[in-house]
Amino acid sequence: MKKVRCAIYTRKSSEEGLEQDFNSLHAQREACAAYILSQTSEGWTMLPDEYDDGGLSGGTLERPALRRLMQDIEGGRIDIVVVYKVDRLSRSLLDFAKLVEAFDKTNVSFVSVTQSFNTTNSMGRLTLNMLLSFAQFEREVTAERIRDKIAASKARGMWMGGNPPLGYQPDGRTLAIVEEHAGLVRHIFARYLDLGNVRLVTGALASEGIIAPERTATT
């Protein structure tokens, strides 16, 4: 029988109670360990490494134990990630989708012991696909809102960021004229009116040694 290496991941949002001899992280680990033991006939074995994040939010992926877990997954040392509940891994659908994508690349399954969620079977994968569909919907709706807001702001004459055009500099939500560049801009337009061709204007400016002035970005 093939040995299936299982890693338990636990997380608690607040630090309250972590100093106790038996806290939430221990309770989660015990429940996960019991579930793995119940699957011994399938070859499941619990890895001794502990991946515990105490006092850290599930809204971010910047967690020490989670980073170690992902490194071990990439290193091919884990076959199944076992958690007490789905939200112990992540409270963000977008982050959850990123994690599952990383799991898929290394053929790692994901199991929640208190919910009907197990990607080692077809029903669990169906549930996962539904969650990822909602995650994609959330991303697309958010992107649409941002695009609509930017378009509406631009229509009101507001500056929405990016590289300002030559002759201007950001001034809050508007653009202010840079006087030392304004003369150059007027000269370029005047040359275009004379020559009527952008390529000819470019060549003329190059021959005259006129180049774009240096500008320092905010970064």
Side-chain angles (χ1 to χ4, degrees):
M1 181 184 297
K2 182 183 176 182
K3 180 180 177 182
V4 182
R5 299 161 298 175
C6 302
I8 298 174
Y9 176 78
T10 64
R11 182 186 64 80
K12 187 177 187 296
S13 297
S14 67
E15 296 182 355
E16 183 182 356
L18 289 179
E19 73 285 351
Q20 297 175 0
D21 293 337
F22 187 82
N23 56 47
S24 174
L25 298 180
H26 297 131
Q28 292 177 47
R29 173 165 285 276
E30 277 197 2
C32 293
Y35 185 86
I36 292 172
L37 185 62
S38 71
Q39 302 297 314
T40 303
S41 60
E42 300 295 328
W44 290 28
T45 58
M46 185 177 72
L47 294 174
D49 303 273
E50 295 186 357
Y51 304 94
D52 304 324
D53 279 319
L56 293 170
S57 169
T60 175
L61 296 179
E62 293 303 314
R63 290 172 256 157
L66 181 61
R67 284 199 296 267
R68 282 195 295 107
L69 176 70
M70 299 309 295
Q71 288 171 359
D72 288 346
I73 287 174
E74 292 172 3
R77 293 185 286 274
I78 296 172
D79 298 313
I80 296 179
V81 175
V82 183
V83 296
Y84 183 69
K85 286 185 178 180
V86 173
D87 65 0
R88 297 302 88 191
L89 192 63
S90 176
R91 286 187 178 275
S92 165
L93 279 178
L94 298 181
D95 289 343
F96 183 71
K98 293 177 185 176
L99 292 173
V100 172
E101 183 179 0
F103 292 168
D104 286 343
K105 287 180 180 177
T106 50
N107 294 320
V108 171
S109 299
F110 169 66
V111 174
S112 171
V113 302
T114 58
Q115 297 159 319
S116 299
F117 197 92
N118 183 342
T119 59
T120 61
N121 57 49
S122 58
M123 181 58 70
R125 287 190 290 273
L126 172 62
T127 307
L128 171 63
N129 288 333
M130 291 172 63
L131 283 173
L132 295 183
S133 295
F134 279 106
Q136 180 178 344
F137 173 72
E138 182 183 8
R139 286 196 300 271
E140 292 176 354
V141 169
T142 301
E144 287 173 1
R145 286 200 204 104
I146 293 172
R147 284 196 297 268
D148 291 345
K149 181 179 179 181
I150 290 176
S153 299
K154 286 182 176 179
R156 294 172 64 89
M158 298 175 67
W159 173 247
M160 298 306 296
N163 294 321
L166 179 62
Y168 294 90
Q169 65 182 6
D171 182 20
R173 282 298 186 181
T174 61
L175 288 174
I177 294 175
V178 180
E179 291 300 334
E180 56 265 35
H181 298 168
L184 174 59
V185 174
R186 295 188 186 100
H187 175 70
I188 293 172
F189 272 88
R191 295 305 299 274
Y192 178 78
L193 292 176
D194 290 339
L195 300 173
N197 183 288
V198 173
R199 182 177 55 81
L200 294 177
V201 171
T202 303
L205 294 174
S207 64
E208 297 170 11
I210 298 176
I211 60 175
E214 255 189 15
R215 292 188 290 176
T216 304
T218 55
T219 55

